[in-house]
Amino acid sequence: MTEKLLILLVFFGSFMLHSQNLVWRTNMTDAIAISNEQNKPMLILFTASGVPDNLQNEIFKTPDFAVWSRDNVILVKLDLSDINASDSDKEQNVRLKNAFGVVELPEVCFASASVRKNKTTFSALGKLAYKPGGAKSWISESNSILHPSESE
């Protein structure tokens, strides 16, 4: 009995530890390079301090999201209130927020990008804000944005 309990604890402990190991990129140049290298679109989270935590707590901190994101997207977090960001990064993040039409924070934009002759071109795939319903529902909506032909 004790052995089974110990095995169960180790399993859940490693699973929970693994589920919290999300790698959020904060440098857009690096994120674009990784996105293109791995042939995965970017999930760009536009956020700031003081915004509701629902998206983080109910979606991003779940094991379902951890598994899904690892297989489907490159995670990018652009914190518009980051006081440690350089002026050029702050300016870039605001330009991206406006270019993607983000009005309310937090909001997620799915995009891919290409760089040719030092010019970056973004291709917006869709946007998704927080909606009650849990991670599975949010992931399903994300999949319909990322794979529109499969959801018909």
Side-chain angles (χ1 to χ4, degrees), residues 25-145:
R25 311 280 170 196
T26 56
N27 180 296
M28 187 54 81
T29 304
D30 293 345
I32 292 168
I34 294 165
S35 170
N36 288 328
E37 179 184 300
Q38 295 185 16
N39 198 25
K40 293 179 187 173
M42 293 175 285
L43 178 157
I44 307 169
L45 170 63
F46 289 92
T47 190
S49 62
V51 302
D53 290 337
N54 302 18
L55 194 57
Q56 289 279 0
N57 293 335
E58 295 176 33
I59 310 299
F60 299 154
K61 290 183 178 177
T62 65
D64 287 336
F65 180 80
V67 170
W68 175 85
S69 65
R70 184 187 64 230
D71 295 339
N72 290 281
V73 293
I74 301 302
L75 299 172
V76 183
K77 184 184 289 186
L78 301 181
D79 185 341
L80 301 173
S81 64
D82 184 359
I83 58 171
N84 297 319
S86 69
D87 287 343
S88 63
D89 282 350
K90 287 178 187 175
E91 187 180 308
Q92 169 193 274
N93 294 349
V94 170
R95 277 199 320 267
L96 287 169
K97 173 187 168 282
N98 295 336
F100 284 113
V102 172
V103 179
E104 291 191 35
L105 300 177
E107 189 163 28
V108 167
C109 295
F110 295 97
S112 57
S114 60
V115 180
R116 294 195 201 326
K117 298 181 182 175
N118 289 330
K119 182 173 173 23
T120 304
T121 305
F122 286 91
S123 176
L125 305 172
K127 292 190 298 187
L128 191 56
Y130 167 77
K131 292 180 185 164
K136 285 185 176 19
S137 173
W138 197 91
I139 289 168
S140 177
E141 283 197 54
S142 298
N143 282 333
S144 67
I145 291 171

Side-chain angles (χ1 to χ4, degrees), residues 1-6:
M1 177 71 177
T2 309
E3 187 178 317
K4 286 182 180 177
L5 185 60
L6 186 60

